[in-house]
Amino acid sequence: MKSSLLFLMITVFMAGTPALAKATTITFGVNSDYAMPLLKIAYSGERPELDEGILKDLGEAISKELNVEPKWFLVPKNRVAPSLSAGKVDILCHLNEIWQPKIVNDVWWSAPLYKSSNVLVFLKQPNPSSLKDIRGETVGTVLNFIYTSLDPQFKNGSLKREDGPNNVANIQKLLKGRLRYIVMSNLEYAYYKNIYSSMNSAELDMDVVMTKCAVSKKSNLKIEDVNKAIANIHRSGKLNSILRSYYIKDVL
């Protein structure tokens, strides 16, 4: 009698908990070469961990819509493509096909998130109306980053490229007078302008894209579910709220 009752209880429990058969976590890849407002890395001992930033807030918002817990996997830019192709991460956001041409067909691309473009940042120089106005200058860039609008000038020598590890380092070069111009995304400029009010920018329609999430084709995560989650955070205003918390407007 006791064994029959135990069997019945187990059967009822298993029937009432179908979620246990499904994935309860998804692994978000995060490009560790970025800086705020996209991400801030903290260290627990010697181990780096995602602490805050747009990518953390975005991942948490998408995970909530999917009813799963996010797990973060920090990866340098040159390992983003292999990590997605190999299925080491389920999803990585703030991407675009132009930035990762080698894996365009190896991942599922989501619906758009928000607009990203590059702006030319300077301090007291006259506002350039085109790249011709800064001919011969050295421009601060980020190592391994692609600048489609500037690459022809870098190749023909009309502009010189100076790579830094990230734009936090480049801003310091700008403020200390080591560089007269740096290039960064519109998202970064909106955030850092609030901190360094002396910075100015010229929007020259450089590298304008709509960012997306890329889902590994080796993941069990369905692109349809991701797109539904993105639609929901757009419609609810959650995505706009995340961006505005970092002083970013008019990019949706």
Side-chain angles (χ1 to χ4, degrees):
M1 181 68 179
K2 289 183 178 179
S3 61
S4 298
L5 180 60
L6 178 62
F7 176 79
L8 178 61
M9 291 173 64
I10 293 173
T11 302
V12 171
F13 175 77
M14 292 180 67
T17 56
L20 293 177
K22 298 181 180 180
T24 56
T25 64
I26 56 174
T27 301
F28 272 85
V30 180
N31 185 341
S32 59
D33 289 340
Y34 285 129
M36 286 294 282
L38 291 171
L39 65 84
K40 179 181 177 182
I41 295 175
Y43 284 85
S44 177
E46 295 183 357
R47 183 179 177 181
E49 295 181 352
L50 182 62
D51 187 42
E52 61 177 301
I54 292 172
L55 296 183
K56 186 173 189 289
D57 297 345
L58 176 62
E60 289 175 343
I62 291 175
S63 296
K64 184 177 181 180
E65 292 292 334
L66 296 172
N67 196 29
V68 296
E69 289 294 324
K71 185 170 72 172
W72 313 109
F73 186 84
L74 293 170
V75 54
K77 184 180 185 298
N78 62 358
R79 298 298 302 167
V80 165
S83 296
L84 281 164
S85 297
K88 289 186 177 180
V89 300
D90 295 302
I91 182 172
L92 199 148
C93 296
H94 191 78
L95 275 186
N96 183 273
E97 295 92 330
I98 293 174
W99 300 347
Q100 293 291 339
K102 293 182 179 179
I103 58 167
V104 167
N105 298 316
D106 295 340
V107 300
W108 304 114
W109 293 96
S110 78
L113 290 167
Y114 45 78
K115 183 178 75 173
S116 174
S117 63
N118 281 327
V119 298
L120 194 67
V121 180
F122 52 94
L123 296 179
K124 298 179 180 179
Q125 287 72 32
N127 193 335
S129 59
S130 74
L131 293 176
K132 293 180 181 179
D133 294 340
I134 62 167
R135 184 179 180 87
E137 292 281 356
T138 298
V139 179
T141 52
V142 176
L143 182 67
N144 294 324
F145 277 36
I146 296 172
Y147 300 91
T148 306
S149 297
L150 292 170
D151 280 343
Q153 285 76 19
F154 292 145
K155 289 178 180 179
N156 66 27
S158 60
L159 291 176
K160 298 175 184 178
R161 175 173 179 158
E162 181 173 315
D163 285 338
N166 52 50
N167 274 318
V168 174
N170 287 342
I171 288 172
Q172 293 307 310
K173 290 180 182 179
L174 183 73
L175 295 174
K176 293 175 181 178
R178 292 176 55 189
L179 288 170
R180 282 159 49 92
Y181 298 96
I182 63 175
V183 62
M184 66 175 61
S185 75
N186 56 327
L187 309 179
E188 292 170 307
Y189 178 73
Y191 177 78
Y192 286 109
K193 174 67 173 178
N194 189 68
I195 300 172
Y196 305 107
S197 59
S198 60
M199 294 197 313
N200 297 297
S201 72
E203 296 187 15
L204 304 176
D205 294 323
M206 295 190 296
D207 308 320
V208 181
V209 300
M210 290 301 293
T211 62
K212 304 175 183 180
C213 296
V215 177
S216 173
K217 288 188 176 180
K218 293 189 176 181
S219 171
N220 292 324
L221 185 60
K222 295 181 179 180
I223 190 63
E224 296 85 358
D225 293 337
V226 173
N227 284 337
K228 183 178 179 181
I230 290 173
N232 286 344
I233 63 174
H234 269 289
R235 183 168 50 250
S236 68
K238 179 61 177 179
L239 181 55
N240 188 43
S241 176
I242 290 172
L243 294 170
R244 282 181 172 268
S245 70
Y246 298 95
Y247 315 108
I248 299 163
K249 303 176 183 179
D250 303 323
V251 294
L252 298 180

